[in-house]
Amino acid sequence: MADIGGELLWPGDGRADDVFTDASFLAAMVRFEQAWLDGLAAAGLAPGSVALVAPALADIAADAESGGNPVIPLVKELRKQSVDVHRGLTSQDVVDTALVLCVRDALDRVLADGERAARTLGRLARAHRATVMAGRTLTQLAVPITFGLKAATWLAGLTDAIVELRRAREELPIQIGGAAGTLAAVVELARDNDDPVGTAAALARDVAHRLDLQGGTPWHTRRTPLTAAADALVAVSDAWGHMAGDIALLSRSEIGELREGAGGGSSTMPGKANPVLSILLRRHALAAPSLAATLHVAAATYVDERPDGGWHAEWDTLRLLARRSVVAASQAADLVAGLVVDTAAMAERVASDARTLTAEQRSIAGSAAEDPAAYLGATDLVIDNIFERAARVWSNL
Amino acid sequence: MADIGGELLWPGDGRADDVFTDASFLAAMVRFEQAWLDGLAAAGLAPGSVALVAPALADIAADAESGGNPVIPLVKELRKQSVDVHRGLTSQDVVDTALVLCVRDALDRVLADGERAARTLGRLARAHRATVMAGRTLTQLAVPITFGLKAATWLAGLTDAIVELRRAREELPIQIGGAAGTLAAVVELARDNDDPVGTAAALARDVAHRLDLQGGTPWHTRRTPLTAAADALVAVSDAWGHMAGDIALLSRSEIGELREGAGGGSSTMPGKANPVLSILLRRHALAAPSLAATLHVAAATYVDERPDGGWHAEWDTLRLLARRSVVAASQAADLVAGLVVDTAAMAERVASDARTLTAEQRSIAGSAAEDPAAYLGATDLVIDNIFERAARVWSNL
Amino acid sequence: MADIGGELLWPGDGRADDVFTDASFLAAMVRFEQAWLDGLAAAGLAPGSVALVAPALADIAADAESGGNPVIPLVKELRKQSVDVHRGLTSQDVVDTALVLCVRDALDRVLADGERAARTLGRLARAHRATVMAGRTLTQLAVPITFGLKAATWLAGLTDAIVELRRAREELPIQIGGAAGTLAAVVELARDNDDPVGTAAALARDVAHRLDLQGGTPWHTRRTPLTAAADALVAVSDAWGHMAGDIALLSRSEIGELREGAGGGSSTMPGKANPVLSILLRRHALAAPSLAATLHVAAATYVDERPDGGWHAEWDTLRLLARRSVVAASQAADLVAGLVVDTAAMAERVASDARTLTAEQRSIAGSAAEDPAAYLGATDLVIDNIFERAARVWSNL
Amino acid sequence: MADIGGELLWPGDGRADDVFTDASFLAAMVRFEQAWLDGLAAAGLAPGSVALVAPALADIAADAESGGNPVIPLVKELRKQSVDVHRGLTSQDVVDTALVLCVRDALDRVLADGERAARTLGRLARAHRATVMAGRTLTQLAVPITFGLKAATWLAGLTDAIVELRRAREELPIQIGGAAGTLAAVVELARDNDDPVGTAAALARDVAHRLDLQGGTPWHTRRTPLTAAADALVAVSDAWGHMAGDIALLSRSEIGELREGAGGGSSTMPGKANPVLSILLRRHALAAPSLAATLHVAAATYVDERPDGGWHAEWDTLRLLARRSVVAASQAADLVAGLVVDTAAMAERVASDARTLTAEQRSIAGSAAEDPAAYLGATDLVIDNIFERAARVWSNL
């Protein structure tokens, strides 16, 4: 169990182990201070660097409230190791860059498990390209589809979301701006150089490079890097919600066309197999949009060169969204990997409701058509088109 | 630092110490299973009771996901202590009642700190009944008010919210319904009694009494007890947000009419005193509404006798809202306790802008009125009315 | 079709006809200005009253933006009819009271249709007290219930929400405070009276009485009257969402235990009957929580004596929530009135899955029990308890 | 005033005139049916086309509810003009494509006004590159900035959002999939062709081309095209919220460094000039995130080949978000065009608080520095970098 707790109230939380925990956030802050100290030394703005040791979490935590953020106690501890730590920075530089580093870890996990799920969905779509099943609209049997189309449609939604997520990941920036986004303090540190501003800018680029983050202008009051990541994570959660909702429905006792590989049991009802992973994914999908909304409300209420609440509202909200997204991506990949497709149940439904499923065809053709397998339209082409796009996003699909 | 972590990303989290942590939730589940076991024994439906020992958190956490909730591993562990544990119950009974117990602890903390804040606000309103200050509307100076009126208005908002919170607290119910809200399992346990249904109902009442909760009908799919508590917590957070927003504004360097007792410092700007508690309260107030929205979305998507995601979305959402509410109430009470009212700054503003503040009066009176202190209207009466209502809610105000 | 439009994008909108349209809001503002003018005259603060004629909507609309609200152009027009119109008031008094009047109309409609639905649910619960059907949890068949219990549970959720709604309705207050909640302008008007403050207070009470609203203290920056009404409307929408979700599920082709009286057709699939009202109710239930969240975010960001955005964000949000609630209540009452209960389908399911539905009983009893009708536990008692509470809320249930 | 109403409760609504009204939506549906009919005829699947005349809005509105959407009554009316209307389509094809057409109109307006605002911001940033003003963090004076930097930072946020918005606009797809996304009906229409599937696919491409929309695969249950547009609109509203919040603050009576060109007046306080456009922008920014959250909740609850509520929840939510975005973009462009920068007030503040604004510099330099203009760090470089990026997004900046 990760130190963040949560496994009882958010089952599956442990899948995210140390992603974006308090401890990881502390480590990320130290990592940034280290990169900065190394950068200062390399630029000749500090006499040298030392290997910083992260202080105890409890020590930082105890003092995080008095200044409103954990950087003040952190710097106090780290300056015992080197007096040059944090010179030229502001608290927001440290918190924001550490948030970005933690978000990036989360995004990488989501991308990896997203790819795992995508490959399985690709396999399912291929394997069941010809598996006819009932299409349903507005809760009622409608026209036939194939399970391959359904799996491909899930894949298409995931692909859209992953494209968005990758873009947000590639654009994640370092935050270096000093108190008001002017880099005044670091320029001041370099005031004896020939080109203090150039030195400061080069230092910022160097430190971004050390952390493999985008450089660019300070974003102290422009929160698009965070909201774009959040929106992308919600797009992914939408994709899981859609897929999990379908699976939960098709797993209903009265339908039984799908089944989770390892359904959850009941303490009192022997033999019950609940679609647990689908349910837990739906849980995330229902809760994620509100978290992104909070990040947008926060962004929309930024004022001055650092706002009076919006900034602070982001941190834990982002942690929740990112961490739960890691859990969900792992659960989703497992879910599709273990998914049991009951082709016999699908076929049985198609056979028993063939007249209903072909009613539209008859109304068009004016004929006696009653074979759902003969009313699949462009299903294969749609699947092909989805694959074509997905193949541009994922290799070895 | 509580086991829940969070102090770094939600500064002040430690104020809530063990309220609604994973460990507390585990303890609450065990407490309910204990009460139930005691009730079974007292009703003659179990041979006797034993004092249950809570299993290790890690053991429960590790298995919480496979069944979708922590009750299955918990019961497995507890049945090693007594085979009669959990007989007649369903997982939802345990989770829901434990949620309620944890929420109640949180509500009690909010109520206590709310009362602490209310008394301070009452004192401020009385002390500054005659402290004239500028009223401001739509960011511009408007007509004069008194700081006593402002403090009383904060109190009035808090009073409304606390009334709602107390009502939600008093109505918190136990959950005992079995798999589908019919109490079938416990009636079955009592099948050899003369009146199995009466026995089951009496047992449910008895266990509710043991936990000091309301009895009543199962609410497996009717989530008003939770949403009412959540809405009330958001009403309180609105009250804090309003108060904190005012304090943050009036603390601005250019206004300086209020000041937090212990402002937060800056690592690089000596002498800076930020209104940290106000900022942290605003943080909560910006984030809380979305959490309640999630609980409502969950409630609105309940289906069957237990839903496929809505239930699971509630747990951690409720924890967050409740725990952060405890933190905020404590911060708010501290904030008002330490609030420094700069009456000189208020008076200076009133004097320097007297013409502006009395422009409305002149437009009505057609006179040369220029004394803001003579244009306070029914301010005293409004304060009296607020106190009259508040006195019905709090004693010793 | 109401002037507000919306019938195409929110089918059923016409059910709310003139509730909380722009025209109704204008009428409500005029109504308040009339009551105030009458009050002024009665109090001797104006030479007399006249019967005000509402200006054309288009004239007010055209100028609503320049001052940020519609009161400035309204007053300009009304003062052509009497120069004493609006004397002593501020824009917020007019907007807020008009909002309250429009909300009250909406609430009354929701309460009336809520009662209509409650009576039908009561009838259904009584009629189907013994109609055994499958209970389902987490998408899977679980233990037996009766359809009477299900209908009673819907009723119980509705009852909770209606209690909350009635409370919010009874507490709806007039807004009279002047620019900063001090009633300074009206006290100024009465400055030649013996007791100007007493005169102002009496006038405020009198006008509240004329509009049948609560008096009390100004709530310019304390938005609990609006958020309480909004939260209650969301509680009602949760109740509809839960009921509609159940009906939509039980109407699925593969289940068919319920059916809407007049299902929606399809342009291409003859014979298809979609559960349209259930779907439209779920639509509302999914969207309503976010609207209430906006009202809370607005309330939480109130500052000064009138805020810089929060107030303005409330108006249309409240209109949407209130109006959609009226539509939903009407649809819900129609839905249950027309609901077709297919008891044969229920019985067939129970018979075919009797072993599954009694698995829990066997695991407790260790017996060969296989009759779902004999495993209903305290179902009747639960129904009785729900009725007992509901009877305290509604007469002639 | 547009037929949609709303001007009173959402002042400024008229700026969006006929964008995304019920009437425009009806026109968009007819436009799609026309393009489809033309396409059918061109493909030889209908004997010919006719110029369709839109039915009366009221006729469609009256019947929109019974089938759950306005397409059924629309098709009934249009088929009086040509029996081939709508052949091969499903309601969702029509509603979704019409939504996309209406959204596109809204996006184009936002893009145009966004560009107008961007140019003004560019001009302000250039004009005030050297206008030193106080930087403020956490409500307190911090270090100096220039107003040019502030304007450039607003521009940077807007640029980020517009990039996202353009991407969403370019990707807006037509919806053609038939009842379950298989194009079965249109393939059936083409069954006598050599290549029915190829014919259907070519027809879909042709109709997309006629409407200048992307083709691609059906997105009946994959709602990323809509959520991406919504997220981008919220990113824009965040940018306006940030800018408007700054302007409202800097317009406060006690600061007075900015002023709206035409402030809003008061009915009773002569001389009051409220930052009305800023306030109305903040209103939108507070409310927009919740609307996008609703769209995501809807997307996340899609099931089957058409869901039971999620789809219907999108329509009016999207209208609101799109329409309000059009209003806000217009207001924002006007706001910056009229913005009055009081450089004297800025200079006065800088002079009077020079010691505070240079405290950080002294703490670094250990010197007697007291000239804020000498502590601007890399401000010019940051502005240059913002311009460099913005110039890639907008020409003639």
Side-chain angles (χ1 to χ4, degrees):
Chain A
M1 190 179 56
D3 64 337
I4 197 73
E7 189 82 9
L8 261 58
L9 289 158
W10 195 263
D13 181 73
R15 288 173 182 261
D17 45 67
D18 64 353
V19 175
F20 220 141
T21 59
D22 257 27
S24 302
F25 184 68
L26 175 59
M29 290 195 293
V30 172
R31 189 176 167 206
F32 174 56
E33 294 282 11
Q34 179 76 65
W36 182 254
L37 183 61
D38 293 347
L40 282 176
L45 298 177
S49 188
V50 300
L52 297 172
V53 179
L57 182 56
D59 292 343
I60 305 307
D63 274 341
E65 191 195 38
S66 64
N69 71 61
V71 178
I72 296 175
L74 174 66
V75 169
K76 191 175 148 198
E77 288 300 316
L78 292 180
R79 285 210 168 138
K80 295 175 185 169
Q81 301 174 38
S82 162
V83 292
D84 294 307
V85 161
H86 192 71
R87 294 206 75 194
L89 296 177
T90 193
S91 296
Q92 192 172 354
D93 293 328
V94 184
V95 167
D96 281 356
T97 302
L99 288 175
V100 160
L101 290 172
C102 287
V103 164
R104 185 172 63 182
D105 285 346
L107 264 52
D108 285 342
R109 295 273 287 259
V110 173
L111 288 167
D113 275 325
E115 179 147 7
R116 187 158 66 97
R119 291 210 175 119
T120 308
L121 290 173
R123 199 163 52 236
L124 285 169
R126 274 191 298 264
H128 293 284
R129 181 182 267 271
T131 304
V132 184
M133 67 181 287
R136 295 158 173 102
T137 60
L138 305 168
T139 75
Q140 302 300 301
L141 292 175
V143 297
I145 60 170
T146 66
F147 179 63
L149 175 62
K150 190 172 272 286
T153 299
W154 297 338
L155 173 63
L158 179 60
T159 302
D160 286 355
I162 291 294
V163 167
E164 200 178 320
L165 197 67
R166 281 195 194 161
R167 200 154 45 207
R169 193 237 181 265
E170 291 317 309
E171 293 174 0
L172 284 174
I174 203 167
Q175 178 72 284
I176 298 176
T182 65
L183 293 97
V186 58
V187 171
E188 184 68 24
L189 287 179
R191 71 188 177 280
D192 296 333
N193 284 36
D194 285 346
D195 177 11
V197 167
T199 303
L203 170 57
R205 279 194 303 273
D206 172 53
V207 177
H209 184 73
R210 288 170 190 269
L211 297 173
D212 200 16
L213 291 171
Q214 294 298 316
T217 55
W219 45 283
H220 285 64
T221 57
R222 166 181 60 92
R223 308 306 282 177
T224 35
L226 300 187
T227 55
D231 289 341
L233 287 173
V234 174
V236 176
S237 88
D238 294 346
W240 300 141
H242 167 215
M243 182 178 83
D246 267 351
I247 295 175
L249 262 180
L250 295 172
S251 299
R252 290 185 76 84
S253 304
E254 302 87 353
I255 301 180
E257 300 181 5
L258 294 178
R259 196 168 64 248
E260 291 197 7
S266 157
S267 56
T268 59
M269 289 175 280
K272 198 153 179 280
N274 303 312
V276 168
L277 291 175
S278 300
I279 287 168
L280 296 179
L281 284 171
R282 271 177 54 82
R283 160 194 71 170
H284 171 57
L286 291 172
S290 281
L291 297 175
T294 294
L295 290 170
H296 281 291
V297 166
T301 54
Y302 263 65
V303 288
D304 295 328
E305 278 57 66
R306 192 175 313 160
D308 52 347
W311 182 45
H312 304 74
E314 292 170 353
W315 316 340
D316 199 47
T317 306
L318 201 57
R319 173 186 71 74
L320 273 164
L321 179 56
R323 192 167 167 84
R324 290 180 181 174
S325 294
V326 170
V327 172
S330 169
Q331 291 174 326
D334 283 1
L335 168 59
V336 293
L339 194 65
V340 179
V341 184
D342 192 331
T343 56
M346 291 176 178
E348 192 177 341
R349 173 68 55 196
V350 168
S352 69
D353 289 283
R355 265 195 75 79
T356 300
L357 294 169
T358 53
E360 181 183 270
Q361 190 182 19
R362 280 193 306 281
S363 86
I364 296 170
S367 75
E370 290 203 16
D371 176 12
Y375 193 56
L376 287 169
T379 295
D380 277 340
L381 181 63
V382 172
I383 296 175
D384 289 344
N385 288 343
I386 289 172
F387 266 90
E388 189 182 308
R389 168 145 200 266
R392 289 198 300 272
V393 174
W394 284 291
S395 56
N396 305 320
L397 195 68
Chain B
M1 190 178 57
D3 65 337
I4 198 72
E7 189 83 8
L8 261 60
L9 290 158
W10 195 264
D13 180 74
R15 288 174 183 261
D17 45 67
D18 63 354
V19 176
F20 220 141
T21 59
D22 257 25
S24 302
F25 183 68
L26 175 58
M29 290 195 292
V30 173
R31 190 176 165 206
F32 174 56
E33 294 282 9
Q34 178 77 65
W36 182 255
L37 183 60
D38 294 348
L40 281 177
L45 298 176
S49 187
V50 300
L52 297 172
V53 178
L57 182 56
D59 291 344
I60 305 307
D63 273 342
E65 191 194 39
S66 63
N69 71 62
V71 177
I72 296 175
L74 173 67
V75 168
K76 192 175 148 198
E77 288 298 317
L78 292 179
R79 284 211 169 137
K80 296 175 187 170
Q81 302 175 37
S82 162
V83 294
D84 294 306
V85 160
H86 191 72
R87 295 206 74 196
L89 296 177
T90 193
S91 296
Q92 191 172 356
D93 294 327
V94 185
V95 167
D96 282 357
T97 302
L99 288 175
V100 160
L101 291 172
C102 287
V103 164
R104 185 171 64 182
D105 286 346
L107 264 53
D108 285 342
R109 294 275 286 261
V110 173
L111 288 166
D113 275 324
E115 179 147 7
R116 187 158 66 96
R119 290 209 174 121
T120 309
L121 290 173
R123 197 162 56 236
L124 284 169
R126 275 191 297 265
H128 293 284
R129 182 182 267 272
T131 304
V132 183
M133 68 180 287
R136 295 159 172 101
T137 60
L138 306 167
T139 76
Q140 304 298 301
L141 293 175
V143 296
I145 60 169
T146 66
F147 180 63
L149 176 63
K150 190 172 273 287
T153 299
W154 297 339
L155 173 62
L158 179 60
T159 302
D160 286 355
I162 291 294
V163 167
E164 201 178 319
L165 196 66
R166 281 195 193 161
R167 199 154 46 206
R169 192 234 180 270
E170 291 317 310
E171 293 174 1
L172 285 174
I174 203 166
Q175 179 72 282
I176 297 177
T182 64
L183 294 96
V186 58
V187 171
E188 184 68 23
L189 287 180
R191 70 188 176 282
D192 296 332
N193 283 38
D194 286 348
D195 177 10
V197 167
T199 303
L203 169 58
R205 279 195 304 274
D206 171 54
V207 177
H209 184 74
R210 289 171 190 268
L211 296 173
D212 199 17
L213 291 171
Q214 294 298 315
T217 56
W219 45 284
H220 285 65
T221 58
R222 166 181 61 91
R223 309 307 282 177
T224 34
L226 300 186
T227 55
D231 289 341
L233 288 173
V234 174
V236 176
S237 87
D238 294 347
W240 302 141
H242 167 214
M243 182 178 85
D246 267 352
I247 294 174
L249 262 180
L250 295 172
S251 300
R252 289 185 77 84
S253 303
E254 303 87 352
I255 301 180
E257 300 182 4
L258 293 178
R259 197 167 64 249
E260 291 197 8
S266 157
S267 57
T268 59
M269 289 176 280
K272 199 152 178 282
N274 303 313
V276 168
L277 290 175
S278 300
I279 287 168
L280 295 179
L281 284 171
R282 271 176 55 81
R283 161 194 69 169
H284 171 56
L286 291 172
S290 282
L291 297 175
T294 294
L295 290 171
H296 281 291
V297 166
T301 54
Y302 263 64
V303 288
D304 295 328
E305 277 58 64
R306 193 176 311 162
D308 53 346
W311 181 47
H312 304 74
E314 292 170 353
W315 316 339
D316 199 47
T317 306
L318 201 58
R319 175 188 69 76
L320 273 165
L321 179 56
R323 192 168 167 84
R324 290 179 180 175
S325 294
V326 169
V327 172
S330 169
Q331 290 174 326
D334 284 1
L335 168 59
V336 292
L339 194 66
V340 178
V341 184
D342 191 331
T343 56
M346 290 176 177
E348 192 177 341
R349 174 67 56 194
V350 168
S352 70
D353 289 283
R355 266 195 76 79
T356 300
L357 294 168
T358 54
E360 181 184 89
Q361 189 181 20
R362 280 194 308 281
S363 85
I364 296 170
S367 75
E370 290 203 13
D371 176 12
Y375 193 56
L376 287 169
T379 295
D380 278 340
L381 180 64
V382 172
I383 295 175
D384 290 344
N385 288 343
I386 289 172
F387 266 90
E388 190 182 306
R389 168 145 200 265
R392 290 198 299 272
V393 174
W394 284 292
S395 55
N396 305 320
L397 195 69
Chain C
M1 190 180 57
D3 65 337
I4 197 72
E7 189 83 7
L8 262 59
L9 290 158
W10 195 264
D13 181 74
R15 288 174 182 259
D17 46 66
D18 64 355
V19 175
F20 220 141
T21 60
D22 256 26
S24 302
F25 184 68
L26 175 58
M29 290 195 292
V30 173
R31 189 175 168 208
F32 174 56
E33 294 282 10
Q34 179 76 64
W36 182 254
L37 184 60
D38 294 347
L40 281 177
L45 298 177
S49 188
V50 301
L52 298 172
V53 178
L57 182 56
D59 292 342
I60 305 307
D63 274 341
E65 192 195 35
S66 65
N69 71 63
V71 177
I72 296 175
L74 173 66
V75 168
K76 192 176 148 196
E77 289 299 316
L78 292 180
R79 284 210 169 137
K80 295 175 185 169
Q81 302 174 38
S82 162
V83 293
D84 294 307
V85 161
H86 191 71
R87 294 206 76 197
L89 296 177
T90 193
S91 297
Q92 192 173 355
D93 293 328
V94 184
V95 167
D96 281 356
T97 303
L99 288 176
V100 160
L101 290 171
C102 288
V103 165
R104 186 172 63 182
D105 285 347
L107 263 52
D108 285 343
R109 295 273 287 259
V110 173
L111 288 167
D113 275 325
E115 179 148 7
R116 186 158 66 96
R119 290 209 176 119
T120 309
L121 290 174
R123 198 162 54 235
L124 285 169
R126 275 191 297 265
H128 293 284
R129 183 183 267 271
T131 304
V132 184
M133 68 181 287
R136 294 157 173 102
T137 60
L138 306 167
T139 76
Q140 303 298 302
L141 293 175
V143 296
I145 61 170
T146 67
F147 180 63
L149 175 62
K150 190 172 272 286
T153 300
W154 297 339
L155 173 62
L158 179 60
T159 302
D160 286 354
I162 291 294
V163 167
E164 202 179 319
L165 197 67
R166 282 195 193 161
R167 198 153 47 206
R169 192 236 181 267
E170 292 316 310
E171 293 174 1
L172 285 174
I174 202 166
Q175 179 72 282
I176 297 177
T182 65
L183 293 97
V186 60
V187 170
E188 185 68 23
L189 288 179
R191 70 188 177 283
D192 295 333
N193 284 38
D194 285 346
D195 177 11
V197 167
T199 303
L203 169 58
R205 279 194 305 272
D206 172 53
V207 178
H209 184 73
R210 289 171 189 269
L211 297 172
D212 199 17
L213 291 170
Q214 294 299 315
T217 55
W219 45 284
H220 285 64
T221 57
R222 167 181 60 92
R223 309 306 282 178
T224 35
L226 301 185
T227 54
D231 289 341
L233 288 173
V234 174
V236 176
S237 88
D238 294 346
W240 301 141
H242 168 213
M243 182 179 84
D246 266 352
I247 295 174
L249 263 180
L250 295 172
S251 300
R252 290 186 75 85
S253 304
E254 302 88 351
I255 301 181
E257 301 182 4
L258 294 177
R259 197 168 64 248
E260 291 197 8
S266 157
S267 57
T268 59
M269 289 176 280
K272 198 153 179 283
N274 303 312
V276 168
L277 291 176
S278 300
I279 287 168
L280 295 179
L281 284 171
R282 270 177 55 81
R283 160 194 71 169
H284 171 57
L286 290 173
S290 281
L291 297 174
T294 294
L295 290 171
H296 280 291
V297 166
T301 54
Y302 263 66
V303 288
D304 294 330
E305 277 59 64
R306 193 175 312 161
D308 52 347
W311 182 46
H312 304 74
E314 291 170 354
W315 315 339
D316 200 46
T317 305
L318 201 57
R319 173 187 70 76
L320 274 165
L321 179 56
R323 192 168 168 83
R324 291 179 181 175
S325 294
V326 169
V327 172
S330 168
Q331 291 174 326
D334 283 3
L335 168 58
V336 293
L339 194 66
V340 178
V341 184
D342 191 331
T343 55
M346 290 177 178
E348 192 177 341
R349 173 68 56 196
V350 167
S352 71
D353 289 283
R355 266 195 76 78
T356 300
L357 294 169
T358 53
E360 181 184 88
Q361 189 181 20
R362 281 193 306 282
S363 86
I364 296 171
S367 74
E370 289 202 15
D371 176 11
Y375 193 57
L376 288 169
T379 294
D380 278 340
L381 179 63
V382 172
I383 296 174
D384 290 343
N385 288 342
I386 289 172
F387 266 91
E388 190 183 306
R389 169 146 200 265
R392 290 197 299 271
V393 173
W394 283 291
S395 54
N396 305 321
L397 194 68
Chain D
M1 190 180 54
D3 65 336
I4 197 73
E7 188 83 7
L8 261 59
L9 289 158
W10 194 263
D13 181 73
R15 288 175 182 260
D17 45 66
D18 64 354
V19 175
F20 220 142
T21 59
D22 256 26
S24 303
F25 184 68
L26 175 58
M29 289 193 294
V30 173
R31 189 175 167 208
F32 174 56
E33 294 282 10
Q34 179 76 65
W36 183 255
L37 183 60
D38 294 347
L40 282 176
L45 298 177
S49 187
V50 300
L52 298 173
V53 179
L57 182 56
D59 291 342
I60 305 308
D63 274 341
E65 192 194 38
S66 64
N69 72 62
V71 177
I72 295 175
L74 173 67
V75 169
K76 191 176 149 196
E77 289 299 315
L78 292 180
R79 285 212 170 136
K80 296 175 185 169
Q81 302 175 36
S82 162
V83 293
D84 294 308
V85 161
H86 192 72
R87 294 206 75 197
L89 296 177
T90 194
S91 296
Q92 191 171 356
D93 293 328
V94 185
V95 167
D96 281 356
T97 302
L99 288 175
V100 160
L101 291 171
C102 287
V103 165
R104 185 172 63 182
D105 286 346
L107 264 51
D108 285 341
R109 295 274 287 260
V110 173
L111 288 167
D113 275 325
E115 179 147 8
R116 186 157 68 95
R119 290 209 176 120
T120 309
L121 290 174
R123 198 162 53 237
L124 284 170
R126 274 192 297 266
H128 293 285
R129 180 183 268 271
T131 304
V132 184
M133 67 181 287
R136 295 159 172 101
T137 59
L138 306 167
T139 76
Q140 304 298 301
L141 293 176
V143 297
I145 61 169
T146 66
F147 180 64
L149 175 62
K150 190 173 272 286
T153 299
W154 296 339
L155 173 62
L158 179 60
T159 303
D160 286 354
I162 291 294
V163 168
E164 201 178 320
L165 196 66
R166 281 194 193 162
R167 200 155 44 207
R169 192 238 182 265
E170 291 318 309
E171 293 174 0
L172 285 174
I174 203 166
Q175 179 72 282
I176 298 177
T182 64
L183 294 96
V186 59
V187 171
E188 184 68 24
L189 288 180
R191 69 187 178 283
D192 297 332
N193 284 37
D194 286 345
D195 177 9
V197 167
T199 303
L203 170 57
R205 278 194 305 273
D206 172 54
V207 177
H209 184 74
R210 288 170 190 269
L211 297 173
D212 199 17
L213 291 170
Q214 294 299 314
T217 55
W219 46 283
H220 285 63
T221 58
R222 166 182 60 92
R223 309 305 282 178
T224 35
L226 301 185
T227 54
D231 289 341
L233 288 173
V234 174
V236 177
S237 87
D238 294 346
W240 301 142
H242 168 214
M243 183 178 84
D246 267 351
I247 295 174
L249 262 181
L250 295 172
S251 299
R252 289 185 76 84
S253 304
E254 302 87 351
I255 301 181
E257 301 182 4
L258 294 177
R259 196 167 64 247
E260 291 196 7
S266 157
S267 56
T268 58
M269 289 176 280
K272 198 152 178 282
N274 303 313
V276 167
L277 291 175
S278 300
I279 287 168
L280 295 179
L281 283 171
R282 270 176 55 81
R283 161 195 70 169
H284 172 56
L286 290 173
S290 281
L291 297 175
T294 294
L295 291 170
H296 281 291
V297 166
T301 55
Y302 263 65
V303 288
D304 294 328
E305 278 58 65
R306 193 175 311 160
D308 53 345
W311 181 46
H312 304 73
E314 291 170 354
W315 316 339
D316 199 48
T317 306
L318 201 58
R319 175 187 70 75
L320 273 165
L321 179 56
R323 192 167 167 83
R324 290 179 180 174
S325 294
V326 170
V327 172
S330 169
Q331 291 174 325
D334 284 2
L335 168 60
V336 292
L339 194 65
V340 179
V341 183
D342 191 332
T343 55
M346 289 176 179
E348 191 176 341
R349 173 67 56 195
V350 167
S352 71
D353 289 283
R355 266 196 75 78
T356 299
L357 294 168
T358 54
E360 181 183 270
Q361 189 182 20
R362 281 194 306 283
S363 85
I364 295 170
S367 74
E370 289 202 16
D371 177 12
Y375 193 56
L376 288 169
T379 294
D380 278 340
L381 180 64
V382 172
I383 295 175
D384 290 343
N385 288 342
I386 289 172
F387 265 90
E388 190 183 305
R389 169 148 199 264
R392 289 197 300 271
V393 174
W394 284 290
S395 56
N396 305 322
L397 194 68

